[in-house]
Amino acid sequence: MNTRGPADEGLRLIPFRGLRYVPERVGSLAAVTSPPYDVVVRPDGLLHLESADPHNIVRLILPQADTPAARNEQAAATLHDWLAEGILAPDAEPALYVYEQRNDEILQRGIVGALALSGPAEGIVLPHEDVMAHVVEDRADLMRTTAAHLEPLLLTYRSDGDATGATAVIERTIHRPPLLSTTTEDGYSHRLWAVTDPADRAEIETDLAHHQALIADGHHRWATYLRLQKEHSAPGPWDFGLVLLVDTARYPLRVRSIHRLLHGLPVADALAALTGLFRVRTVEGPLPHALDTLAEAAAEGNAFLLAGDGGFHLVDRPDEALLARTVPADRPPAWRTLDATVLHTVLLDHVWRIPDDPAHIAYIHDTAAAVEQAERHGSTAVLMHPVREEVVRELARQGVTMPRKSTSFGPKPATGLVLRSLTIG
């Protein structure tokens, strides 16, 4: 994001006593980690994580019980038990944490800390997507009951690219032995270091104070932080939220799509409703080839790939008159031409008339999983092409939010490597 002037109030990141698994008390660090809660979308994925280790973090972020209240109470009780049993333990002193993720293609490094909360109007932390009220309610109930931040948000900022400030501290720190090192089953290696030296921390905090950040992943959790802050009028730990800050000038993120699964809408019915409104073509599989075809069409304009009947159907070239009467005209052109905008305002609201709620739509990050579920349940998967990061950033600067779940930035931080308690000083 743009660098802010010295007189401006920017990002304020403070250290905290991280809660971390005690390696000797668990099978392996890899076995107790999880993707973020909203990426664990399939019941078999949840069961796989639960069975990987009895102390897998999924038992805190997605507890299983008969009612929402019971689920949250179970998570709080589990957290209490794990602390009492020494499964989790707080670090001895407050720290900022350097976090590294790496695979054969990507190297990402950033700083984990507790970030001072601010609303969108302050221009310090910029959202780029809308949120769903029921998800914020769910996360708020969990955070309130556990009094903990169980997984960091992913925020990005942009420096001038020089190895100064926070970057300089990161690149010095990685030459020391890490607090932990593990490789998860997705092939990513993870390393974490504590930054406790006052001079290093001051260098990070001074640098970040001149920047603003974009929420790359975790809009619902950020909205939850703000909601819970309002419930606690006295200054305290609820004024800060657990985040990972990544300088994308040094470590560019990958932007992927989040697909839609339309419950109860067979592909044949979805396609029939598009007659005369979009161009519809059947394209050859397998899935990677069909996605290449989608990418070619998306370079020319709005395009979607429908799946669920065993084949793939490219939907593109929407009728201009249809767009003119259904897409709101009071937004910037970059917003009006987004695939997510056309999907929601034109296809979902006008053509298919599908309410945007969990009973009718699921949001799925994994492309193959979206297709598999659509075929299994006789539903329609709408596969999306990714939005360019520059478009996301420019809309955020203008204060324009994209339709919810428009993007998936990654790699996302693994959940379970470091947690933040709101009650441990």
Side-chain angles (χ1 to χ4, degrees), residues 398-420:
Q398 297 177 45
V400 178
T401 55
M402 299 166 65
R404 60 189 61 137
K405 300 295 184 182
S406 294
T407 59
S408 176
F409 284 86
K412 305 177 191 303
T415 299
L417 298 181
V418 61
L419 292 63
R420 176 177 180 248

Side-chain angles (χ1 to χ4, degrees), residues 103-118:
N103 68 4
D104 293 338
E105 300 176 351
I106 290 179
L107 171 63
Q108 177 175 289
R109 294 180 179 133
I111 303 288
V112 176
L115 185 66
L117 304 182
S118 60

Side-chain angles (χ1 to χ4, degrees), residues 76-260:
T78 299
L79 177 58
H80 177 272
D81 291 345
W82 289 358
L83 286 167
E85 296 165 9
I87 305 299
L88 289 168
D91 284 333
E93 59 181 313
L96 298 175
Y97 297 87
V98 170
Y99 175 47
E100 176 190 274
Q101 296 174 98
R102 181 197 293 265
N103 68 4
D104 293 338
E105 300 176 351
I106 290 179
L107 171 63
Q108 177 175 289
R109 294 180 179 133
I111 303 288
V112 176
L115 185 66
L117 304 182
S118 60
E122 296 176 66
I124 299 171
V125 175
L126 303 178
H128 70 268
E129 289 184 359
D130 294 329
V131 297
M132 294 175 275
H134 75 279
V135 178
V136 175
E137 179 73 24
D138 175 72
R139 292 294 101 182
D141 288 343
L142 179 63
M143 286 186 200
R144 190 186 297 112
T145 307
T146 59
H149 294 159
L150 302 173
E151 45 188 336
L153 283 65
L154 175 59
L155 305 186
T156 72
Y157 69 100
R158 290 190 67 82
S159 71
D160 57 11
D162 293 336
T164 59
T167 297
V169 176
I170 289 172
E171 296 187 1
R172 290 197 302 267
T173 300
I174 60 171
H175 296 292
R176 304 197 324 250
L179 288 175
L180 63 85
S181 178
T182 189
T183 299
T184 46
E185 64 180 11
D186 58 5
Y188 277 95
S189 66
H190 307 262
R191 296 196 294 172
L192 191 76
W193 296 261
V195 179
T196 56
D197 180 83
D200 285 343
R201 288 187 350 201
E203 190 172 352
I204 292 171
E205 293 166 20
T206 300
D207 179 22
L208 294 178
H210 301 301
H211 292 282
Q212 60 183 178
L214 174 74
I215 300 176
D217 184 70
H219 283 81
H220 289 92
R221 281 166 283 163
W222 183 259
T224 301
Y225 289 167
L226 294 174
R227 174 171 177 166
L228 294 176
Q229 181 188 36
K230 291 181 180 178
E231 297 179 6
H232 297 80
S233 56
W238 295 95
D239 294 323
F240 298 84
L242 181 62
V243 305
L244 165 64
L245 276 165
V246 174
D247 175 9
T248 54
R250 301 285 294 190
Y251 303 103
L253 297 181
R254 182 169 54 196
V255 186
R256 290 180 167 174
S257 300
I258 302 176
H259 310 295
R260 276 64 170 164

